Amino acid sequence: MNSEFTPYYAVIFTSVQTETTAGYAEMAEQMETLAKQQKGFIGIDSARNAVGITVSYWKNLEVIQQWKQHTDHLIAQQKGIKNWYAHYNVKICKVEREYSFVKK
C-alpha cells in the first residue's frame, strides 16, 4: 500500500429515472460544473443506463455536507424528487485504499 495515500470519501448516488427527463441532462451538467468548483472536491465518475450511478469524491465529511446544503444543489435535489427520479439512493463511504490498471 502506498504510504502517502490520504483517505477520502466517495458519495455514491444511484437512481432510476421517471419517464420525465426534460431538463435533466442540463441540470446534471450544471451540478457537475458547480461541484468541481467546491472546496474539497476531488473528482467524479458517472454512467447511466436503466440505473444511473454517479460517484463523487471529496476530501472529508464536512465538505460533503456543505455540498449537500449548497443552494443550487438543493434546488436540483427538489427538481429531481419532483420530476426526474422514481427512486434514488445515496451511500457515503470512506476510501482507505485504491489501485488501478492501464493497458499500454
Side-chain angles (χ1 to χ4, degrees), residues 14-73:
T14 56
S15 64
V16 175
Q17 290 184 321
T18 64
E19 292 182 14
T20 305
T21 59
Y24 178 82
E26 295 81 4
M27 181 63 78
E29 186 176 320
Q30 289 174 12
M31 289 301 101
E32 182 174 338
T33 299
L34 185 60
K36 289 177 178 178
Q37 298 169 4
Q38 302 310 300
K39 179 181 177 184
F41 176 84
I42 298 170
I44 191 167
D45 295 314
S46 187
R48 174 158 293 285
N49 284 312
V51 174
I53 183 167
T54 298
V55 184
S56 57
Y57 308 98
W58 302 85
K59 181 178 177 181
N60 57 47
L61 293 172
E62 292 76 22
V63 295
I64 292 170
Q65 185 62 33
Q66 289 169 7
W67 170 239
K68 182 174 178 14
Q69 296 302 321
H70 188 286
T71 303
D72 292 339
H73 190 210

Side-chain angles (χ1 to χ4, degrees), residues 55-104:
V55 184
S56 57
Y57 308 98
W58 302 85
K59 181 178 177 181
N60 57 47
L61 293 172
E62 292 76 22
V63 295
I64 292 170
Q65 185 62 33
Q66 289 169 7
W67 170 239
K68 182 174 178 14
Q69 296 302 321
H70 188 286
T71 303
D72 292 339
H73 190 210
L74 287 170
I75 292 168
Q77 291 171 54
Q78 291 167 359
K79 286 184 177 183
I81 290 167
K82 182 178 179 185
N83 301 315
W84 300 313
Y85 298 125
H87 165 79
Y88 72 80
N89 181 271
V90 178
K91 295 175 181 77
I92 300 173
C93 309
K94 186 174 185 180
V95 178
E96 296 186 2
R97 183 172 70 127
E98 69 175 52
Y99 55 90
S100 60
F101 167 79
V102 177
K103 189 174 216 78
K104 294 182 182 183

